[in-house]
Amino acid sequence: MASTSLPNLINNNNSLHLSHFNCPLSIIFPIKQLSTSKKHATSLACNVTNVFKTHETSFSNDVQVVSKVPFSKPTILVSEKLGEGGLELLRRYGNVECLYDLTREELCKKIASCDALIVRSGTKVMREVFEAAQGKLKVVGRAGVGIDNVDLHAATEYGCLVVNAPTANTIAAAEHGIALLAGMARNVAQADASIKSGKWQRNKYVGVSLVGKTLAVMGFGKVGSEVARRAKGLGMQVIAHDPYAPADRAHAAGVELVSFDQAIATADFISLHMPLTPATKKVFNDETFSKMKKGVRIINVARGGVIDEDALVRALDSGVVAQAALDVFCEEPPAKDSKLVQHENVTVTPHLGASTKEAQEGVAVEIAEAVVGALNGELSATAVNAPMVPPEVLSELAPYVILAEKLGRLAVQLVTGGSGVQSVKVVYKSARNPDNFDTRLLRAMITKGIIEPISDSFVNLVNADFTAKQKGLRISEERVTIDASPDAPIDSIQVQISNVQSNFPSAVSDNGNISIEGRVKYGIPHLTVVGSFGVDVSLEGNVILCRQVDQPGMIGHVGKVLGEHNVNVSFMSVGREVKRTKAIMAIGVDEEPSPETLKKIGEVPAIEEFVFLKL
Ligand SMILES: NC(=O)C1=CN([C@@H]2O[C@H](COP(=O)(O)OP(=O)(O)OC[C@H]3O[C@@H](n4cnc5c(N)ncnc54)[C@H](O)[C@@H]3O)[C@@H](O)[C@H]2O)C=CC1
Ligand SMILES: O=C(O)C(=O)COP(=O)(O)O
C-alpha cells in the first residue's frame, strides 16, 4: 500500500490527526467527521506511518488501532530562561534541552537535531538557523509577543511554523510602561543614583505632574490599550495612533484615535507600543522629533528599533525631548559607552517589560502548549506565519482538505511526464456565500498534491504559497455559487491544469485543460469527473483510469487481470458520453499494480488508453 501518500494518523483523545509527512501543520479531524464506519476507520489506520504521540489510537470507543511504529520523542531546545510550568509541560511531551547563551555557531550546530526551538527576545533565529536545521526543525516558539528576532521569511520557506505567546505578558509590559512613565516624571532612577552616591539634591530632581497631561499611545494593541487604561486612571488625557485599530474599540476605552502627526505634535508624553516592522523601523527620527512639542517625554517598552537612537540623543541634547525612559534598544545589550544610555535625562531598564514572575509563568505555559500542539499536528491559534483556521471551520473542512490534496496529486499525474505545470485553476462550487469562504487551507493542500509528486520539495500550510511561487506555479481560484444544500461547506472542487499535454487525453475537457473534479460523500473524498466523463470512485487507494470502447464484458476483462495479479479492487465506476461508444472506467485499487499487470491491462483489446494514478 502506498502509505506515504496518505495522511498519517495519530491519537488525540477524540480526534484523528492527519499528519502530512511529519508536517507540523497537519489537520485534526474530529472523529465524527471521518469515522463514518468502523471499516473506514480501519482502512485509514492501515496507513499509519508515523505515530508521534502514542502507540495506541482509539476510535469512537469501538475501533482500536495499534501502531507498530516506535514512538520517538521530539527534541525541544529551550535557548532562554523559561518558566517552570512551561518546562514541565514540555518535558511530559519531549526531550527538553535547556541550553542558554549559545553562540550563533553553537545554535546552528545544535538545531540540526531539534524538532522545536523555544526562544525569548535574546536568540536571533535567522536564516542560517533554518538552513542548518535541514528541514528537521518544525516549530519555533517565541515565549512572548515580538517576533522581530525570528526571520519569518526563512521560516516560511523552510516550512517551519512560528508561534508566539501573545497574551500572557500584556499586563506586565503595560505595568512596566506605567512604571517608567511615573518614574521618569519624578526622576526616581536619577534621584536614587544621586542619593546612593552621597548627595541630597532636592532641587535638581523636581519632577512634572502627570494629571491633566496628554499621553499619546503609539500602537493601540494589547499593551497600548492597557497602558491607556492605566494612564486614564492617573488623570491623563489619552490619545492614540494606530492605523489598524478599530475606532470603536478606542472610543469605548475613552481614547481618541488620531493621525501620527497629530499624536506626536499634541502629546506631553509619548508611549511606544507598536511592533518593530519594516514600516515602523526608525519612525522616530530627526524629522519626527522635530514635529514634537518641545519638552516631550518618551517611553519605549516596544522595540529599540522603532527609534533612531542617534536622532534621539540629538533631540535630548537640544531639549526637544526632555526625557526618555527606555526598556528596549537597537542592540541588546547596548554598548556600555552608548551616549543614549549614559544620557542624564534617560532612564533605562534591561528589557524587563515582560519580566514579572506571573508573566513569565504565563508565557511559558502559553508557548509550551502552542509548541506541543504544533508538534502534534494541530493548527495553532497563535501561528505567526500560517493562516489561523478556527477549530469549527477546520472540523467542517477536514474531509475537503484530504480531497484537495488528492485531486492535486491525481491531476499532476495526468500531465505527460508531470512536467511543465505552470497554470492551475481551482473551482470551488458551494451553496454558501463565497465571501465567507476561506480557501487558503484547500489551496495549500492542492499545491502540496501537485508539487510533491514531481519534486523533492516538502510542502505544508506554512510554505505552500511560497513554494508554488518559487516553482513558477500559478494557482488561480474561482468560487461558484450553486443552488445546493448549504449544509456542506463545498459541493465540489475542480482542478484544471492548462497548457500541458496529458498522458490520458480523455482527461482533457472541452476547454483544452486537464480537468478533474471531486466531492466528499459521507465524509470520504470521491473522484467524480474526469475530463468530460462523470465517474464515481472513492479516493481511498490508488486509481486506474481506462478509456475503452463501451461494450459488454470490459469490467470483467480488467477485473480478471487485476485478480490474477493479486490486486484488490475497492471501487469501480464507468462513465460514458454516448452508449456503446466511448467510456471511462475508474477503478480504485488497494495495491500498486506491477508493470506487468499494467501491461496486461493495456493489452485488453477494447482499452484505448489507460493510466495508473498513485495516491
Ligand atoms: N519590553 C517588553 O518586554 C515587551 C515588549 N513588547 C513589545 O510591544 C509590542 C506590542 O505588543 P502587543 O500590544 O502585545 O501587540 P499587539 O499586536 O496587540 O499591538 C500592536 C499594535 O501596534 C499597531 N501597529 C502596527 N503598526 C503600527 C504603526 N505603524 N503605528 C502605530 N501602530 C501600529 C497594531 O495595529 C497593533 O494594534 C510588541 O510588538 C513587542 O515588540 C511586548 C511585550 C513585552
Ligand atoms: O514579548 C515581547 O515582545 C518581549 O519583548 C518580551 O521579551 P522577553 O521574552 O522578556 O525577552
Side-chain angles (χ1 to χ4, degrees):
M1 185 127 204
S3 56
T4 52
S5 67
L6 281 163
N8 303 328
L9 238 158
I10 53 179
N11 173 42
N12 184 27
N13 304 328
N14 288 325
S15 301
L16 291 179
H17 285 218
L18 302 188
S19 170
H20 292 276
F21 309 136
N22 235 353
C23 147
L25 279 180
S26 58
I27 319 301
I28 314 160
F29 291 77
I31 287 281
K32 64 179 165 56
Q33 287 287 329
L34 275 182
S35 184
T36 50
S37 71
K38 190 169 172 170
K39 181 171 163 281
H40 174 54
T42 313
S43 84
L44 270 172
C46 291
N47 300 298
V48 173
T49 55
N50 166 41
V51 173
F52 233 10
K53 199 174 161 192
T54 178
H55 292 232
E56 293 208 345
T57 306
S58 53
F59 290 85
S60 318
N61 300 327
D62 63 351
V63 181
Q64 272 276 315
V65 181
V66 180
S67 164
K68 300 226 163 37
V69 181
F71 168 57
S72 73
K73 278 184 160 192
T75 299
I76 302 165
L77 174 62
V78 178
S79 69
E80 287 174 75
K81 190 149 173 37
L82 197 67
E84 200 43 48
L87 286 174
E88 257 172 46
L89 231 153
L90 294 170
R91 284 190 196 110
R92 266 184 255 146
Y93 181 74
N95 298 318
V96 179
E97 292 193 46
C98 295
L99 299 174
Y100 306 146
D101 301 320
L102 292 174
T103 62
R104 278 160 57 157
E105 291 73 25
E106 286 166 341
L107 176 61
C108 286
K109 196 164 170 211
K110 182 71 203 164
I111 206 70
S113 60
C114 300
D115 299 279
L117 168 65
I118 296 184
V119 301
R120 287 175 58 187
S121 60
T123 310
K124 307 286 171 244
V125 194
M126 295 303 141
R127 177 171 290 276
E128 60 196 0
V129 176
F130 295 102
E131 280 167 3
Q134 294 174 3
K136 167 96 171 144
L137 187 65
K138 297 174 188 72
V139 53
V140 173
R142 184 346 184 170
V145 186
I147 30 85
D148 45 286
N149 53 323
V150 180
D151 185 336
L152 287 183
H153 289 295
T156 303
E157 282 176 36
Y158 283 86
C160 180
L161 179 69
V162 181
V163 289
N164 70 350
T167 59
N169 69 20
T170 301
I171 299 300
E175 286 178 349
H176 197 60
I178 294 292
L180 289 180
L181 168 80
M184 172 174 64
R186 303 305 295 269
N187 302 305
V188 172
Q190 289 87 343
D192 176 77
S194 154
I195 201 167
K196 281 179 177 148
S197 69
K199 297 178 189 146
W200 186 255
Q201 298 175 291
R202 297 184 64 213
N203 292 336
K204 183 170 182 189
Y205 293 120
V206 173
V208 290
S209 187
L210 299 177
V211 69
K213 299 283 165 52
T214 298
L215 170 71
V217 170
M218 309 301 280
F220 195 68
K222 294 184 294 295
V223 178
S225 47
E226 289 298 335
V227 165
R229 203 150 69 89
R230 283 159 178 74
K232 284 179 79 72
L234 296 171
M236 300 185 85
Q237 307 281 349
V238 182
I239 55 175
H241 168 70
D242 188 324
Y244 313 107
D248 53 350
R249 187 162 62 80
H251 192 252
V255 172
E256 191 192 351
L257 277 182
V258 298
S259 70
F260 183 90
D261 281 358
Q262 201 180 340
I264 61 168
T266 320
D268 303 298
F269 291 81
I270 301 177
S271 193
L272 313 186
H273 301 290
M274 68 259 275
L276 176 61
T277 65
T280 61
K281 193 171 178 194
K282 294 191 180 177
V283 282
F284 297 94
N285 51 40
D286 285 317
E287 190 196 335
T288 50
F289 284 128
S290 73
K291 293 178 182 167
M292 293 178 188
K293 209 172 173 179
K294 191 165 167 54
V296 66
R297 289 175 166 81
I298 292 177
I299 304 104
N300 188 5
V301 191
R303 282 295 176 268
V306 302
I307 296 179
D308 175 341
E309 290 181 340
D310 293 337
L312 178 56
V313 172
R314 288 189 283 275
L316 283 157
D317 286 344
S318 71
V320 168
V321 174
Q323 287 183 301
L326 311 171
D327 184 45
V328 283
F329 307 89
C330 289
E331 288 294 323
E332 292 186 359
K336 284 203 178 82
D337 60 353
S338 154
K339 276 193 186 158
L340 183 62
V341 172
Q342 299 301 335
H343 202 287
E344 63 167 341
N345 295 333
V346 174
T347 310
V348 287
T349 50
H351 202 145
L352 290 181
S355 295
T356 62
K357 284 182 182 162
E358 296 83 353
Q360 280 313 305
E361 271 309 308
V363 289
V365 170
E366 199 178 0
I367 204 62
E369 285 173 348
V371 166
V372 168
L375 286 172
N376 252 341
E378 293 167 21
L379 275 171
S380 171
T382 59
V384 179
N385 62 343
M388 289 181 237
V389 186
E392 60 285 2
V393 176
L394 193 58
S395 98
E396 212 185 17
L397 280 185
Y400 299 90
V401 167
I402 306 180
L403 173 67
E405 183 183 351
K406 292 191 174 200
L407 288 175
R409 208 165 260 277
L410 287 182
V412 77
Q413 290 179 73
L414 290 166
V415 177
T416 306
S419 61
V421 181
Q422 284 189 327
S423 178
V424 174
K425 182 174 178 185
V426 184
V427 182
Y428 308 95
K429 288 187 192 150
S430 168
R432 300 221 186 138
N433 180 353
D435 295 340
N436 297 337
F437 185 35
D438 186 345
T439 58
R440 285 173 301 178
L441 194 51
L442 300 170
R443 188 177 67 231
M445 297 319 286
I446 290 169
T447 307
K448 178 180 174 71
I450 290 175
I451 291 178
E452 285 192 342
I454 55 170
S455 76
D456 55 4
S457 299
F458 155 79
V459 183
N460 67 8
L461 187 52
V462 174
N463 68 0
D465 285 345
F466 169 81
T467 312
K469 206 168 163 195
Q470 201 190 31
K471 301 221 172 275
L473 177 67
R474 208 172 53 79
I475 302 199
S476 61
E477 295 176 291
E478 191 185 335
R479 295 147 197 215
V480 177
T481 312
I482 55 162
D483 194 11
S485 161
D487 289 349
I490 302 162
D491 183 71
S492 66
I493 302 175
Q494 185 186 61
V495 176
Q496 297 180 24
I497 304 183
S498 51
N499 304 323
V500 284
Q501 298 286 319
S502 179
N503 50 13
F504 187 72
S506 301
V508 177
S509 62
D510 295 343
N511 60 12
N513 298 338
I514 291 178
S515 176
I516 57 171
E517 191 171 306
R519 55 183 61 196
V520 170
K521 293 186 175 183
Y522 306 107
I524 299 176
H526 280 236
L527 176 68
T528 51
V529 181
V530 175
S532 49
F533 293 87
V535 293
D536 190 353
V537 61
S538 147
L539 293 175
E540 287 180 288
N542 301 310
V543 175
I544 299 171
L545 293 177
C546 305
R547 181 171 63 74
Q548 78 255 13
V549 179
D550 185 25
Q551 62 183 46
M554 288 307 300
I555 294 178
H557 265 307
V558 178
K560 186 162 171 275
V561 174
L562 291 170
E564 280 169 3
H565 291 83
N566 201 24
V567 178
N568 195 42
V569 173
S570 61
F571 238 89
M572 192 172 263
S573 143
V574 178
R576 60 191 180 181
E577 283 174 331
V578 183
K579 255 190 206 174
R580 300 243 173 190
T581 55
K582 269 199 319 185
I584 276 194
M585 183 157 51
I587 308 163
V589 288
D590 289 341
E591 290 81 17
E592 183 174 343
S594 65
E596 193 204 339
T597 316
L598 294 173
K599 188 164 166 272
K600 284 261 160 59
I601 293 175
E603 284 164 8
V604 175
I607 300 261
E608 291 176 335
E609 61 190 44
F610 80 100
V611 64
F612 169 68
L613 305 171
K614 198 170 163 174
L615 276 170

